[in-house]
Amino acid sequence: MQHVVIALLSLAAVAGAVAARRRFVVVRVAGTSMVPTYQPGDRVLIRRGGRAVPRRGQVVVFRRLQPGGAASSGRASGLRRTEWLIKRVAAMPGDRVPDQVAPGVHAAPGDVVPAGRLVVLGDGPTSRDSRHWGYLPVSEVLGVVVRRLS
């Protein structure tokens, strides 16, 4: 009987580890767009988003966009081969487009962020973000930063 309990506990531990790996991922920060919040080389824990839309103020990791907001190719090739970026959500669907972003998304004063899109900005002064390439499709978000690991 004791062997059965040990086997069940071992199986539960393995299942828990597999579930955690599907729900969380560690990403290393490259570049200075999020300085001073995150430094190049910092490792951050990401909670994969599922269908939830990130909230304003959260830091998200997403697939690199081409000019005009199109995603780079490579999602099918896996997490390690995709180029990921990290930025802070400045506006969500239905929010007014921030003034500094309006030219980059071709918005008139008072326009709102469309459904399925986010406005993201880097914390650093030299960040390339929604001001340069427009709205971020929510579907390109890998997840939300939970905490810095290093």
Side-chain angles (χ1 to χ4, degrees):
M1 183 68 160
Q2 186 177 6
H3 295 297
V4 172
V5 172
I6 292 172
L8 288 175
L9 288 175
S10 296
L11 183 60
V14 169
V18 168
R21 286 189 61 118
R22 288 187 178 165
R23 183 77 171 139
F24 295 96
V25 65
V26 176
V27 174
R28 186 173 304 277
V29 175
T32 59
S33 72
M34 287 300 290
V35 169
T37 307
Y38 300 110
Q39 303 294 321
D42 281 352
R43 293 175 340 134
V44 292
L45 181 65
I46 308 300
R47 183 183 68 244
R48 292 188 184 191
R51 297 185 187 271
V53 175
R55 294 187 312 267
R56 190 179 321 97
Q58 289 182 312
V59 177
V60 294
V61 171
F62 57 94
R63 199 160 37 145
R64 182 180 184 273
L65 299 179
Q66 304 298 326
S72 62
S73 61
R75 179 168 239 158
S77 63
L79 289 173
R80 294 182 191 270
R81 294 187 187 150
T82 301
E83 187 175 353
W84 298 100
L85 299 177
I86 182 170
K87 307 287 180 198
R88 188 175 304 280
V89 176
M92 301 172 35
D95 288 349
R96 196 170 77 73
V97 174
D99 293 338
Q100 76 267 31
V101 177
V105 297
H106 308 292
D111 281 356
V112 297
V113 177
R117 302 284 188 255
L118 299 170
V119 171
V120 293
L121 299 172
D123 289 355
T126 60
S127 176
R128 296 207 46 90
D129 46 38
S130 287
R131 293 172 285 199
H132 302 94
W133 35 254
Y135 297 116
L136 170 67
V138 173
S139 61
E140 298 305 321
V141 174
L142 173 65
V144 175
V145 174
V146 175
R147 66 183 306 256
R148 179 189 349 243
L149 297 176
S150 62

